[in-house]
Amino acid sequence: MRLTIAEERWPIAGSFTISRGSKTEVHVVTVTLADGGHVGNGECVPYPRYEETVPQVTAALEAASSRIEAGVSHGDIASVLTPHAARNALDCALWDLRAKQAGKPVWQLAGLPEPKPAVTAYTLSLDTPEAMGEAAAKASARPLLKLKLGRGGDAERLKLIRRNAPASRLIVDANEGWTADNLAQMLAACADVGVELVEQPLPAGNDEALRTISRAVTVCADESAHGLDSLAQLIGKYDAINIKLDKTGGLTPAIALARAAQERGLGIMVGCMLATSLAMAPAFLLTPLADVIDLDGPLLLKQDRVPAIRFDGSLMQPPPPDLWG
């Protein structure tokens, strides 16, 4: 088996801002596995918030190349690679390769339900209240909007967005930007405009206030949630968990995490880092298990790779086999 590693940059349509900062492009790492007759592909986004960088992930893959090329199973990956983003790219490439070798889709090989078209959230980048209100008006035909919040003025942002997108369902991502002091006020402001779910309102590791605060809005773990080992500490604080393959280390552990979360009564959100359709494709297989889907990464780029997942507005189609899976 031959391993190929590549770094790619994909410009964002404009800029993308969350409470931690802004960016104008995404930097991804791709993995290709070839056995001489079939090729499998995977993509990951190393995320500095989790102390992972593109050079680090590339170096880890290169250092493990001989072991990978000698033959690696899904169960071996965690012992071969430390960065979770690197594990993700390799795990997804291996699934893609196995599917092509078997002539069967990944969802069948993984024992998952057949994926159907699904509505994804569409993200409004953090900006001034006025600018986010204008963005909401432009996106008001979309059924589900995700609002990046986490700075002063969030209550005003919520009011303007709701006014300009009266028919859209709303979810919020505070990206650890609120505090225990303003949490009750912000959750109440969300409830007032009909927000259905709030992601990671408090910093990971400083979210104990969630155990005792009453709320009318579902609170979802994101930065606090990684793999199975993080699940126990979420119980009693969060109502749902955002599963991202770059955090879990691939589709294989993401499936295990989704099933374990469901068994413990947690809702499931399937999310993504900002990336191309190649990164969305394996995550899309989790959508039959999910209550909320947030896989709009390609919609926020200037252009996607070819072939790509088709989006009919916010209705996301299953990935084409010539892309992945």
Side-chain angles (χ1 to χ4, degrees):
M1 186 160 57
R2 182 181 177 188
L3 168 70
T4 303
I5 308 158
E7 298 178 13
E8 299 175 351
R9 294 181 182 272
W10 295 83
I12 295 170
S15 63
F16 185 76
T17 302
I18 66 173
S19 61
R20 285 189 291 271
S22 301
K23 58 183 177 180
T24 57
E25 67 175 7
V26 294
H27 198 179
V28 308
V29 177
T30 62
V31 164
T32 300
L33 296 175
D35 67 358
H38 306 89
V39 176
N41 296 290
E43 176 181 316
C44 70
V45 183
Y47 201 41
R49 170 62 182 82
Y50 305 126
E51 300 180 351
E52 295 186 0
T53 66
V54 168
Q56 175 197 36
V57 165
T58 299
L61 287 162
E62 290 173 344
S65 60
S66 60
R67 186 170 176 186
I68 294 168
E69 291 181 335
V72 65
S73 71
H74 296 288
D76 296 330
I77 291 174
S79 65
V80 173
L81 292 164
T82 298
H84 283 71
R87 295 179 187 178
N88 177 32
L90 180 59
D91 185 67
C92 292
L94 187 58
W95 275 115
D96 192 28
L97 180 63
R98 286 183 56 198
K100 290 180 170 64
Q101 291 170 334
K104 295 181 179 180
V106 171
W107 64 265
Q108 282 189 358
L109 297 178
L112 293 168
E114 181 177 6
K116 305 292 184 183
V119 171
T120 179
Y122 180 79
T123 303
L124 302 186
S125 186
L126 180 60
D127 208 326
T128 65
E130 294 75 16
M132 289 192 75
E134 292 173 5
K138 293 176 181 177
S140 60
R142 294 186 181 272
L144 178 61
L145 298 180
K146 175 174 173 174
L147 321 177
K148 289 289 188 178
L149 302 181
R151 290 183 183 169
D154 280 347
E156 183 64 18
R157 289 182 180 92
L158 288 165
K159 292 176 183 177
L160 291 175
I161 289 166
R162 174 48 82 202
R163 182 186 306 165
N164 291 344
S168 299
R169 296 168 54 210
L170 302 179
I171 59 176
V172 160
D173 187 358
N175 283 118
E176 305 178 280
W178 297 344
T179 68
D181 292 335
N182 69 8
L183 178 62
Q185 174 188 356
M186 291 314 308
L187 290 178
C190 287
D192 286 345
V193 299
V195 169
E196 299 175 11
L197 175 146
V198 174
E199 285 182 71
Q200 200 67 41
L202 300 178
N206 191 21
D207 54 4
E208 283 298 312
L210 293 172
R211 291 194 185 277
T212 56
I213 192 166
S214 61
R215 65 256 194 168
V217 179
T218 297
V219 177
C220 179
D222 183 2
E223 285 88 348
S224 291
H226 296 271
L228 279 171
D229 57 347
S230 68
L231 191 57
Q233 65 188 14
L234 306 179
I235 305 300
K237 291 190 287 188
Y238 294 93
D239 311 303
I241 178 174
N242 187 349
I243 299 176
K244 296 178 179 176
L245 272 59
D246 280 313
K247 293 191 301 176
T248 64
L251 178 61
T252 304
I255 295 169
L257 178 59
R259 289 174 172 158
Q262 287 180 320
E263 289 174 359
R264 289 161 176 77
L266 290 171
I268 302 294
M269 179 178 185
V270 176
C272 65
M273 305 303 183
L274 191 49
T276 79
S277 281
L278 181 56
M280 303 305 116
F284 190 82
L285 299 193
L286 296 176
T287 59
L289 309 179
D291 305 292
V292 178
I293 298 162
D294 178 28
L295 298 176
D296 65 340
L299 294 177
L300 306 177
L301 301 179
K302 282 188 177 179
Q303 63 181 43
D304 198 0
R305 64 176 72 247
V306 178
I309 292 174
R310 191 175 92 242
F311 291 83
D312 299 318
S314 291
L315 185 66
M316 189 176 184
Q317 301 297 322
D322 53 349
L323 168 67
W324 186 89

